[in-house]
Amino acid sequence: MWRFALVRTGQLLVTLFLASVAVFLVIEHAPGDPAQVQLGLSATPAEIAVERRKLGLDASVMHRYVVWLGQALHLDLGRSFATGLPVTRTIVTAFGYTLRLDVLAIVLGIALGLPLGIAAALRRGSRLDAGISAFAALGLSVPVFAMGTLLILVFAVHFKVMPAAGAGVPGQSVLSSLRYLVLPAATLAIPFAAVLARYLRVELGEAMEQPYVLTARSLGLRRRTVVVNAWRNAMIPTITVMGIQVGRLLAGAIITETVFSYPGIGYLTVQSIQSLDYPVVEGVLLLGAAVFLLVMFVVDVVIGFASPRMRIEGA
Amino acid sequence: MAAGTETVLDVENLRVSSGARGERRVLVRGVSLTVGRRRTVALVGESGSGKTLTGLALMGLTPAGTAVAAERLLVGGVDLTRMSEPEFARVRGRRIAMVFQNPMEALNPVLRVGHQFSQVLTRNLGVSRSDARDRARELLDSVGVSDARRRLGQYPFEMSGGMLQRMMIALALAAEPDLLVADEPTTALDTTLQAQVMALLAERREDVGMGMVLVSHDLGLVAEYADEVNVMYAGRVVERAPTREMFASPVHPYTLALLRTVREIASPGTDRLSSIPGSPPPLDDPGSGCAFAPRCSFATAECTAVVPELKGVAEGHDVACVRSER
């Protein structure tokens, strides 16, 4: 277990290093000049040169990367070109918003997808199954921006029961901050539930056809017991797939957060790219990579517990 | 059957069919069996003869989309024909149980064996979990598994096929059922283990006092362990006789051919294996008349005209062949 964790940590550091190099090189070749963006179109070449020096852009890429890396090792990711605030603090704040949104989205997604997937698997070929498959196909094929806009139109514009955008004001009650989460969380939860339901339908359906299910039935076990036993097998591959979904959510739901102007990591990513805010772009992309790898690590640990074969014989 | 032996299985005209009403296909065409306590009745035949399906039908466990019907299906005197699924589930593992062909796939791979014993014992014996643990150890002793405590803490993939089949037998017989359906119980095991497992089944049959339906394609096994043999072909029993009689004086051409394939292996001097030319018809389409007629060297025009009924040729010996009727 500890060896496993150590290996994964090593992998994480190597990946982060490679990702940081890639991000540095790619963003360097993005069109536009951050100094120009900060000063506006009326800035003179002299003013731009001064601004570039101020932002540290006059040094070579290599030099800037080494300086940045040295600071990054102390968890200092520099200051935002746009706001002048430390990137670390900006990112932590945004990630807090994203985390809150995603936890609610995942809880909703599981609460919806798990029972639907199980019901569809146990009644394959029935009308219920067809209905659930239709829901899942819809949930997956309707683009997030359309789903988000639709929810805004219905619940914020027409019925006026939910706020349309933002995250509210600081210091508000839990209940009112929750209100801002409902629509974006639902937007994220629907495709999440759709993937979970479709996957579980197949996996549980296959598990129910395994010989051990016939044996369990021949021994007189209750249907509920038989299904739960089979479900524990079906969850092993399902957890892997859902882990990838969770990892992607935590890296920032760019479209959803943009549609709802929700100040999470996804929104921050878009803003920082638009304003060529190099330090912030670098920061959010690294955070995304780190979070994704971390989630995959957690998934492997969970699967180790769910699958005794992997735990005992090793992956 | 000898007088005075209590009947534990009495099934009359068992049929299994599949498909929707309009295009119903019959797979098992009227099988009747009687099994007495402490007796073993074998179902033999090639793959696809319907013997396994017959075994599953007795358990109410035929695949989805199939329908089972019977004039009579009594296990330990209890009528199973009109039972709902939850009612049937209460009978399984208590009055009737089954051991399957492949023990490596029979247990749930993600649950400890002890947990699976606990689920079965608490359900079928109505004992508490801690009592179930003690009972599980006793049961493992009864099937010759040593070091029971350690074994119960293991997962199925940590054990050999022979060990797992012993565990399956222990689970199936935990509640001392009236009838055990053993479907090719040793086919997936090494030859050296086959005799051990069969001996265990015979021993447990005596201790528990159950009847046994032994589904097998292995005539040697059947000759040794069964009291009565039913030869199945294309979903029907074509010959039924006490084991000794069946091997001494078989009548049906299919039985003759089946026995010849075994005898030539046993007798020296033959260097070519005998086989029955052709292959069995699909279960759902046996053709008109006798299903074996196309492969039968004695077939006449009469054979394709009518389906022969099982008729007695001697005490306890029935044959479904037009030749035996003269």
Side-chain angles (χ1 to χ4, degrees):
Chain A
M1 182 69 213
W2 288 113
R3 219 181 78 96
F4 178 62
L6 211 67
V7 169
R8 281 313 181 93
T9 311
Q11 280 176 355
L12 179 72
L13 292 176
V14 171
T15 310
L16 286 183
F17 171 71
L18 294 177
S20 70
V21 173
V23 171
F24 236 86
L25 291 178
V26 167
I27 203 163
E28 188 65 22
H29 291 91
D33 182 346
Q36 178 98 57
V37 173
Q38 295 309 321
L39 297 176
L41 286 173
S42 58
T44 64
E47 286 169 334
I48 287 175
V50 172
E51 180 70 13
R52 282 186 67 88
R53 198 167 314 124
K54 209 177 93 194
L55 296 177
L57 289 170
D58 51 343
S60 72
V61 181
M62 189 66 183
H63 180 256
R64 275 188 284 137
Y65 181 73
V66 171
V67 170
W68 176 86
L69 190 64
Q71 293 177 329
L73 290 177
H74 299 92
L75 291 180
D76 176 5
L77 296 173
R79 287 179 177 269
S80 162
F81 290 173
T83 62
L85 293 171
V87 172
T88 315
R89 200 201 300 163
T90 309
I91 287 176
V92 166
T93 307
F95 188 62
Y97 279 109
T98 289
L99 201 61
R100 232 177 292 169
L101 174 61
D102 289 350
V103 167
L104 185 61
I106 290 162
V107 168
L108 287 176
I110 290 173
L112 188 64
L114 203 64
L116 288 183
I118 292 172
L122 296 183
R123 291 171 197 233
R124 275 216 266 196
S126 70
R127 259 186 225 168
L128 180 74
D129 179 27
I132 291 168
S133 288
F135 162 79
L138 212 65
L140 276 175
S141 56
V142 174
V144 186
F145 63 85
M147 181 68 75
T149 313
L150 185 75
L151 290 179
I152 290 175
L153 283 176
V154 174
F155 294 100
V157 178
H158 187 78
F159 290 112
K160 297 186 168 50
V161 287
M162 293 291 166
V169 292
Q172 65 193 335
S173 71
V174 175
L175 198 69
S176 74
S177 63
L178 208 61
R179 273 165 48 83
Y180 283 91
L181 290 178
V182 172
L183 292 186
T187 307
L188 295 172
I190 288 168
F192 187 94
V195 174
L196 178 58
R198 281 173 68 108
Y199 216 79
L200 201 55
R201 172 182 181 269
V202 173
E203 291 298 332
L204 182 59
E206 273 175 18
M208 288 300 289
E209 281 166 17
Q210 295 302 309
Y212 61 76
V213 168
L214 191 64
T215 314
R217 293 183 62 205
S218 81
L219 291 167
L221 293 184
R222 272 192 200 87
R223 180 162 171 79
R224 196 180 349 131
T225 315
V226 173
V227 170
V228 170
N229 288 354
W231 178 81
R232 294 181 62 154
N233 287 272
M235 279 315 282
I236 295 169
T238 308
I239 287 168
T240 311
V241 169
M242 298 328 287
I244 294 172
Q245 299 277 315
V246 170
R248 284 171 51 178
L249 277 186
L250 287 175
I254 290 181
I255 299 171
T256 306
E257 290 183 5
T258 304
V259 169
F260 288 93
S261 305
Y262 186 83
I265 288 290
Y267 192 54
L268 185 63
T269 306
V270 173
Q271 276 188 322
S272 61
I273 291 175
Q274 278 174 346
S275 60
L276 295 177
D277 197 342
Y278 293 177
V280 177
V281 174
E282 184 88 10
V284 291
L285 293 181
L286 284 186
L287 177 79
V291 164
F292 191 84
L293 290 173
L294 221 63
V295 169
M296 288 298 109
F297 172 70
V298 170
V299 164
D300 283 338
V301 171
V302 171
I303 286 190
F305 278 104
S307 163
R309 183 153 215 157
M310 274 198 193
R311 187 170 67 235
I312 291 167
E313 293 182 350
Chain B
M1 179 186 314
T5 316
E6 189 194 340
T7 301
V8 291
L9 172 69
D10 181 2
V11 56
E12 170 89 26
N13 197 16
L14 179 80
R15 288 149 323 215
V16 181
S17 56
S18 73
R21 204 167 295 263
E23 47 199 54
R24 194 157 280 283
R25 302 176 306 157
V26 185
L27 305 172
V28 172
R29 306 167 174 270
V31 169
S32 301
L33 294 171
T34 313
V35 181
R37 202 171 278 289
R38 296 192 171 83
R39 306 266 296 173
T40 297
V41 170
L43 295 179
V44 302
E46 289 164 280
S47 331
S49 58
K51 53 192 198 302
T52 291
L53 202 53
T54 303
L56 289 173
L58 298 177
M59 298 287 301
L61 289 176
T62 52
T66 55
V68 177
E71 305 313 321
R72 197 164 58 240
L73 175 49
L74 298 172
V75 172
V78 177
D79 182 7
L80 305 185
T81 50
R82 302 244 176 277
M83 278 194 173
S84 68
E85 174 54 30
E87 286 171 330
F88 214 133
R90 264 187 281 275
V91 175
R92 285 185 212 120
R94 297 187 201 187
R95 289 192 173 275
I96 182 169
M98 189 158 177
V99 172
F100 295 88
Q101 179 167 348
N102 191 349
M104 304 297 278
E105 295 179 340
L107 285 167
N108 194 314
V110 304
L111 304 178
R112 283 179 208 279
V113 173
H115 184 63
Q116 304 190 49
F117 266 85
S118 174
Q119 286 186 338
V120 171
L121 300 184
T122 50
R123 164 89 167 153
N124 290 341
L125 301 179
V127 295
S128 70
R129 275 193 204 178
S130 60
D131 289 348
R133 225 167 291 146
D134 297 335
R135 281 293 291 145
R137 270 183 231 133
E138 291 166 28
L139 283 166
L140 287 188
D141 281 344
S142 74
V143 294
V145 171
S146 57
D147 205 0
R149 191 188 292 267
R150 187 171 68 88
R151 291 295 176 192
L152 289 169
Q154 288 184 318
Y155 291 93
F157 61 86
E158 299 178 83
M159 287 175 224
S160 68
M163 178 77 69
L164 288 170
Q165 196 63 308
R166 286 172 187 275
M167 299 224 163
M168 290 317 304
I169 292 169
L171 280 169
L173 302 186
E176 312 207 328
D178 294 310
L179 183 75
L180 178 73
V181 179
D183 183 7
E184 306 271 9
T186 60
T187 306
L189 302 179
D190 290 346
T191 328
T192 47
L193 285 173
Q194 291 187 358
Q196 286 180 26
V197 168
M198 283 314 298
L200 172 66
L201 278 173
E203 177 201 316
R204 296 299 295 145
R205 188 193 69 177
E206 292 307 309
D207 295 347
V208 169
M210 63 187 183
M212 193 153 104
V213 171
L214 175 64
V215 176
S216 181
H217 69 280
D218 183 342
L219 293 174
L221 200 80
V222 166
E224 195 168 346
Y225 292 98
D227 300 300
E228 180 193 297
V229 183
N230 288 258
V231 179
M232 283 191 76
Y233 191 81
R236 279 180 205 281
V237 173
V238 296
E239 183 161 11
R240 169 208 330 274
T243 306
R244 196 180 296 259
E245 164 122 0
M246 182 71 86
F247 283 88
S249 45
V251 174
H252 197 283
Y254 177 63
T255 314
L256 288 168
L258 210 55
L259 288 176
R260 196 160 54 235
T261 62
V262 183
R263 287 213 178 112
E264 287 180 8
I265 297 170
S267 59
T270 49
D271 51 297
R272 292 196 58 185
L273 288 179
S274 165
S275 66
I276 307 171
S279 54
L283 265 187
D284 60 333
D285 182 21
S288 63
C290 173
F292 188 60
R295 300 169 77 187
C296 180
S297 44
F298 306 101
T300 63
E302 197 188 348
C303 291
T304 50
V306 286
V307 179
E309 305 255 323
L310 266 182
K311 292 217 170 87
V313 293
E315 174 67 35
H317 189 167
D318 305 313
V319 181
C321 177
V322 291
R323 291 171 72 241
S324 67
E325 288 169 13
R326 287 179 210 128

